[in-house]
Amino acid sequence: MKLNQSLLSDPSLTQLPEKVLQFGTGVLLRGLCDYFIDKANKEGIFNGRIVVVKSTDSGGADAFAVQDNLYTICVRGIDKGVAKEENIISAAISRVLSAQSQWADILATAKKPEISIVISNTTEVGLQYVEESISQSPPLSFPAKLTAWLYERFQAGLSGVVIIPTELIVGNGDKLKEIVLQLCAFNQLSDGFVQWVTKDNSFCNSLVDRIVPGKPKGESLKELEAKLGYQDNLLTIAEVYRLWAIEGDEKVKDVLSFHEADQGVKIEKNIEQYRELKLRMLNGTHTLMCGMAYLSGFETVKEALADELTEKFITILMTTEIVPAIPYKIQAKVCQRYGREVLDRFRNPYLEHQWISITLQYTMKMRMRNIPLLLNYYKEFNTVPQYFARGFAAYLLFMKAVKEENGKYFGKKGDEYYPIQCDAAAYFYQVWQNHSADEVVQQVLANKELWGSDLTQLSGFAENVSTHLSNMMMIGVREVASALNVYA
């Protein structure tokens, strides 16, 4: 049996008016933003559905149509130490339109007064300025599509909307507004329209945080469908934790009334605190641990957390070295609460979060997430962060490429080769080929191009990393990580 409207407990949900235009059909939008809207609709709060724009014409819209635009969100995870399972049939989406073949229908939605919100998740690459005419059918880039849609709305004499990009870029709302205004200039659009874009529309910076792995495979999917009693080609797994932080005033809050249905939606004048917590405590811990955990023999995050010594290492790293070094003042109790949530998320038995996938663009992540922490730690304490140093040593060892094939680089763990998917892989291949471990540490830490500053100037750090790196190469990564716990 396939998922269809007969399985919906309240069919009236499919009759609600369209209030949201959404660019993107991905699992993060469906498992987080659309989840909140669906929940609010079921509580009689928001009472509006979503028109979704699909940028490519690869048949994805049909997958929604055959299921009456319904899909299942299977929430799985740990909540305050207790396992949680919930299956939700979401009726938030009214229809899915293809930008390639239904552009006129998409522009027609601009003339609907009820539509008051635009959401997007087009990946970070999608939030870039491309010089192009907005009169194309359709324009190529997402910002040009949005500009064309806004121009259609302006010409219809309607009021502006609340626009919330969710792409993982700091200041994503400000960035999108800047690109739209550049496109206005390039397309020589009227001053009246530019003023309307600026004054009548709210471009909101936002941050999204929920692990949404998508549809499971193989036996896991069969078991899940047997439990549900129907098939769903759009089914997605989502963790319990959820956050959509949006920068906005009271006017924005009124429009985004769905926030009342779930505490996971935060609408505040400044969302920097949420960004710093996620970037440093969740992402930063992931980055400092991925090489160490992988080289210690753990394939997934939950495996590492099931190991007592590794869990202790991660906990102490996060609470005693990362938290005190966050370059933004956050109350201790807020950090403690968030830290407990992060550890619950890491332990989630339902998610197969691969350490090797977290090593993607390892060097860029280390620079953006962790080097500011290292510099601030020295500013605060002027001493070596011991757990950080071991994490950094493991990073250097992971980046030791032993072979190159067709421009791709590989490291070696035991008898097994692993991919080094990082823009700096070629640099590390050369450094490791020509230098001893101690020299590698000196060369890499002194590289201002990589880190923005000379890290050999941090008292004792290079020596500490060198010692750990040499020990890891002699006795093993796990053994070096475990040794520190003896003194913790």
Side-chain angles (χ1 to χ4, degrees), residues 251-263:
K251 177 186 165 189
V252 166
K253 230 173 183 176
D254 288 344
V255 176
L256 308 182
S257 60
F258 57 79
H259 75 89
E260 297 170 25
D262 197 292
Q263 291 186 339

Side-chain angles (χ1 to χ4, degrees), residues 13 34-43 88-92:
L13 291 169
D34 302 354
Y35 163 89
F36 288 129
I37 290 170
D38 178 70
K39 185 176 181 182
N41 286 342
K42 286 168 179 170
E43 294 182 17
I88 301 155
I89 297 178
S90 174

Side-chain angles (χ1 to χ4, degrees), residues 199-216:
K199 299 280 176 66
D200 275 43
N201 296 270
S202 299
F203 289 79
C204 302
N205 295 322
S206 85
L207 172 76
V208 286
D209 188 8
R210 190 178 214 181
I211 299 170
V212 187
K215 188 178 174 183

Side-chain angles (χ1 to χ4, degrees), residues 97-121:
L97 301 175
S98 164
Q100 297 301 316
S101 57
Q102 296 172 290
W103 183 238
D105 293 334
I106 293 164
L107 285 181
T109 65
K111 298 175 183 176
K112 298 182 70 142
E114 301 87 0
I115 289 188
S116 56
I117 302 166
V118 176
I119 304 169
S120 74
N121 193 304

Side-chain angles (χ1 to χ4, degrees), residues 22 127 255 314 469 473:
Q22 174 175 299
L127 221 58
V255 176
I314 290 172
L469 180 57
M473 294 171 76

